[in-house]
């Protein structure tokens, strides 16, 4: 992603000389830190920038450069803290634009799109001609839109799954209710099975008796015919 190329890790290489011993000391630490940073020895550069700040906590270049060293070590939370301090100390608009640009890059990499957009916009207010920041801002807005769309799709999918589960639960409850209703009937049929069988036997006997009685009738007719 283009925004990951941090264009604005600009170190304060050109520092004015001062007659004050304390000021010279903190700037010397900054220069030493810059040399180490350019050699990609970011942890050692961090040490030098912290030494500079111990001499002059209000040195905006030291604060900003410390944020850059931390950022290159993936210490993003600590880097943000230093960038925020630098934003309060820095008076140069171009360097201030760099501060907000880097804040935007960190936030965007962590998918904190709202915060990244705010930072990029603040950067452009201080440097409206910066095309890379403008590109990052447009890309971040697109990512935020896609992220919201994806979140809505996930929410809808989750809702459908919950509704489906609720329907399954309802159907299971209905099935259990039917089973409960059927169980007493089954129990009653088992308890009365013998009675029903006996009743059937009695009915069968009664039926046979009726049939026997019906069969006797012709013989009585025969006897009457014989009397003729």
């Amino acid at each position: 992603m283009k925004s990951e190329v941090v264009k604005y890790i600009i170190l304060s290489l050109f520092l004015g000389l001062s007659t004050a011993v304390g000021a010279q000391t903190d700037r010397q630490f900054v220069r030493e830190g810059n040399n180490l940073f350019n050699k990609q020895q970011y942890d050692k550069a961090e040490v030098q920038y912290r030494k500079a700040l111990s001499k002059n906590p209000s040195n905006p270049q030291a604060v900003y450069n410390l944020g850059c060293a931390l950022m290159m070590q993936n210490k993003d939370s600590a880097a943000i803290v230093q960038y925020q301090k630098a934003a309060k100390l820095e008076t140069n608009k171009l360097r201030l634009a760099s501060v907000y640009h880097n804040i935007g890059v960190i936030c965007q990499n962590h998918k904190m799109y709202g915060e990244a957009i705010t930072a990029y916009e603040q950067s452009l207010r201080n440097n409206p001609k910066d095309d890379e920041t403008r590109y990052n801002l447009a890309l971040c807005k697109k990512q935020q839109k896609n992220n919201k769309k994806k979140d809505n799709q996930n929410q809808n999918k989750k809702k459908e799954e919950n509704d489906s589960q609720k329907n399954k639960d309802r159907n299971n409850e209905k099935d259990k209710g039917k089973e409960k209703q059927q169980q007493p009937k089954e129990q009653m049929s088992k308890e009365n099975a013998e009675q029903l069988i006996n009743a059937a036997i009695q009915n069968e006997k009664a039926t046979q008796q009726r049939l026997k009685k019906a069969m006797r009738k012709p013989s009585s007719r025969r006897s009457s015919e014989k009397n003729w």
Side-chain angles (χ1 to χ4, degrees):
M1 187 175 66
K2 189 174 181 181
S3 63
E4 292 177 351
V5 179
V6 184
K7 173 183 176 183
Y8 289 102
I9 298 183
I10 302 172
L11 304 178
S12 304
L13 299 175
F14 302 101
L15 298 173
L17 296 177
S18 173
T19 56
V21 176
Q24 287 178 343
T25 302
D26 72 271
R27 293 186 179 188
Q28 286 173 350
F29 282 128
V30 170
R31 280 196 293 269
E32 291 174 7
N34 292 348
N35 290 332
L36 292 167
F37 188 97
N38 291 332
K39 294 177 183 178
Q40 299 183 357
Q41 297 179 13
Y42 305 119
D43 55 339
K44 294 180 180 179
E46 176 189 346
V47 173
Q48 297 305 312
Y49 296 140
R50 291 190 184 279
K51 287 180 180 180
L53 290 172
S54 69
K55 296 294 181 180
N56 182 10
S58 298
N59 186 324
Q61 288 83 13
V63 177
Y64 173 72
N65 291 358
L66 175 59
C68 294
L70 292 167
M71 185 176 178
M72 296 306 294
Q73 297 177 78
N74 296 319
K75 299 177 181 179
D76 291 342
S77 297
I80 287 287
V81 172
Q82 297 305 318
Y83 286 141
Q84 289 173 339
K85 289 180 180 179
K88 296 177 181 178
L89 295 170
E90 189 59 71
T91 57
N92 182 286
K93 283 197 170 185
L94 291 178
R95 287 198 292 264
L96 193 57
S98 301
V99 171
Y100 285 115
H101 178 96
N102 284 359
I103 292 175
V105 169
I106 290 176
C107 292
Q108 188 171 3
N109 286 339
H110 287 276
K111 298 182 180 181
M112 299 165 59
Y113 300 120
E115 292 83 350
I117 289 170
T118 300
Y120 287 140
E121 289 175 344
Q122 190 67 26
S123 179
L124 287 172
R125 289 190 188 99
N126 288 279
N127 185 12
K129 296 181 180 180
D130 194 318
D131 290 334
E132 186 169 356
T133 299
R134 187 172 289 102
Y135 171 85
N136 287 355
L137 175 61
L139 179 62
C140 193
K141 287 181 177 179
K142 183 178 180 181
Q143 289 174 321
Q144 184 186 49
K145 184 177 180 180
N146 292 338
N147 195 54
K148 287 182 178 179
K149 184 178 180 181
K150 187 177 179 180
D151 288 342
N152 290 334
Q153 289 175 344
N154 290 336
Q155 288 178 359
N156 292 335
K157 184 178 179 180
K158 188 174 181 179
K159 184 177 182 300
E160 290 176 359
E161 290 176 351
N162 290 337
D163 291 341
S164 177
Q165 186 61 42
K166 287 180 180 178
N167 290 333
K168 288 180 180 179
D169 292 340
R170 291 194 196 98
N171 292 333
N172 289 336
E173 290 297 327
K174 289 180 180 178
D175 292 339
K176 288 180 180 178
K178 289 180 180 179
E179 290 177 359
K180 288 180 180 180
Q181 291 177 355
Q182 291 174 354
Q183 284 177 356
K185 293 181 179 179
E186 291 175 358
Q187 290 175 356
M188 289 177 63
S189 62
K190 289 178 180 179
E191 292 173 356
N192 297 332
E194 188 175 352
Q195 295 179 1
L196 292 174
I197 292 171
N198 291 334
I201 292 172
Q202 293 297 328
N203 290 335
E204 180 65 19
K205 288 181 178 179
T207 300
Q208 289 178 358
Q209 290 176 356
R210 285 196 296 271
L211 289 173
K212 288 179 180 179
K213 288 180 181 180
M215 290 175 69
R216 285 190 189 126
K217 289 179 181 178
S219 61
S220 61
R221 287 178 182 173
R222 287 195 195 96
S223 60
S224 62
E225 287 175 355
K226 285 182 180 181
N227 292 331
W228 289 351

